[in-house]
Amino acid sequence: MTPMKEDYLKIIFELGGVQKKISNKQIALGLGVAAGSVTEMIAKLVAEKLVIHEPYAGISLTKQGLRFATQLVRKHRLWESFLVQKLNYGLQDVHPEAELLEHETSQRLANALDTFLEHPKYCPHGGVIPDSDGKYNDISHLSLADVKDDEKVTVERFIDNHELLVYLSGTGLHINDKIKGLHHDPFEGPIQVIRMIDQAKIDISYKAAHNIFVHY
């Protein structure tokens, strides 16, 4: 399987393509690719029986696709946890390294790494880490973009995207921050939130807001 196909399976998993249908637009925003590229790749994944695509409804993982996705996500996020916890990497720097390491990681090595790290349930940017049997804790699929003005939420996780993590490192927004939606600019403009602990106002781009997940 090519790294690009693996990236698609991982993003569909992250966006909730087990419990619900994911749109082409959500995948395009998550990966930072053109809508036409998504259509082409989804057709290939459908042919390989890794995803199901229902026109006008969306995309979801098959059982086989989910199995591949959980294995990939597990290896990737275990390495992210190792890099941050043991090698003091910054959150914005871990994705490219973990992307390389996951492809060279056997199940045996993943299990040993999991034990060494004392079985973490979440990676440093809040993403869930499946166990060796593919089981994982429930996660929120409510994006910041869907939070209405004056609603108070807690930041749960960021999509595993290098550009996003670099961008967020400059905003001051962190996992577990309690925030309130203030204003959605029209025409795909930024979303302004206020961080409750210090009342700081933070502008988040339209694209980033679709890749930040929160819970009430």
Side-chain angles (χ1 to χ4, degrees):
M1 184 182 297
T2 66
M4 183 58 72
K5 288 180 181 178
E6 293 177 347
D7 286 345
Y8 271 78
L9 292 179
K10 286 189 291 184
I11 198 67
I12 294 169
F13 173 84
E14 276 206 81
L15 292 170
V18 180
Q19 301 93 340
K20 63 179 185 177
K21 303 293 183 182
I22 306 303
S23 70
N24 283 33
K25 182 178 180 180
Q26 287 177 287
I27 295 172
L29 286 169
L31 292 177
V33 299
S37 299
V38 175
T39 301
E40 183 178 342
M41 180 58 76
I42 292 303
K44 293 178 181 178
L45 295 175
V46 168
E48 295 179 25
K49 298 183 175 11
L50 296 173
V51 304
I52 298 169
H53 182 205
E54 296 180 21
Y56 308 107
I59 298 151
S60 58
L61 293 168
T62 63
K63 288 184 178 180
Q64 182 181 0
L66 176 60
R67 185 169 66 252
F68 275 119
T70 53
Q71 290 173 357
L72 292 165
V73 165
R74 180 171 188 258
K75 293 174 182 178
H76 186 97
R77 292 178 177 169
L78 284 171
W79 280 119
E80 288 185 328
S81 299
F82 175 81
L83 291 168
V84 170
Q85 294 176 23
K86 305 302 180 181
L87 299 185
N88 298 317
Y89 268 62
L91 181 60
Q92 69 274 16
D93 299 322
V94 296
H95 179 75
E97 302 279 19
E99 191 79 7
L100 294 173
L101 290 164
E102 73 178 71
H103 297 299
E104 304 300 327
T105 302
S106 65
Q107 284 297 110
R108 179 181 178 183
L109 177 55
N111 291 340
L113 187 60
D114 186 32
T115 299
F116 177 71
L117 294 170
E118 299 181 344
H119 311 291
K121 300 297 183 185
Y122 302 94
C123 74
H125 56 81
V128 68
I129 302 177
D131 66 17
S132 57
D133 295 321
K135 298 177 182 177
Y136 53 90
N137 293 340
D138 289 336
I139 49 178
S140 171
H141 294 106
L142 173 67
S143 77
L144 178 57
D146 294 326
V147 173
K148 296 179 174 59
D149 294 347
D150 294 324
E151 284 188 326
K152 295 179 180 179
V153 293
T154 300
V155 178
E156 180 178 276
R157 62 188 176 95
F158 305 140
I159 285 288
D160 202 352
N161 178 287
H162 177 59
E163 290 184 3
L164 174 70
L165 296 176
V166 170
Y167 168 80
L168 290 173
S169 69
T171 66
L173 191 68
H174 302 99
I175 301 298
N176 295 323
D177 277 353
K178 297 185 185 303
I179 58 175
K180 182 173 76 171
L182 289 182
H183 180 68
H184 289 63
D185 279 355
F187 301 106
E188 300 188 356
I191 295 171
Q192 188 177 74
V193 302
I194 187 168
R195 189 169 53 209
M196 303 305 294
I197 191 170
D198 59 2
Q199 301 299 298
K201 293 181 180 179
I202 302 173
D203 287 330
I204 304 295
S205 74
Y206 174 85
K207 179 179 177 181
H210 281 81
N211 293 320
I212 298 169
F213 291 89
V214 299
H215 64 81
Y216 290 110

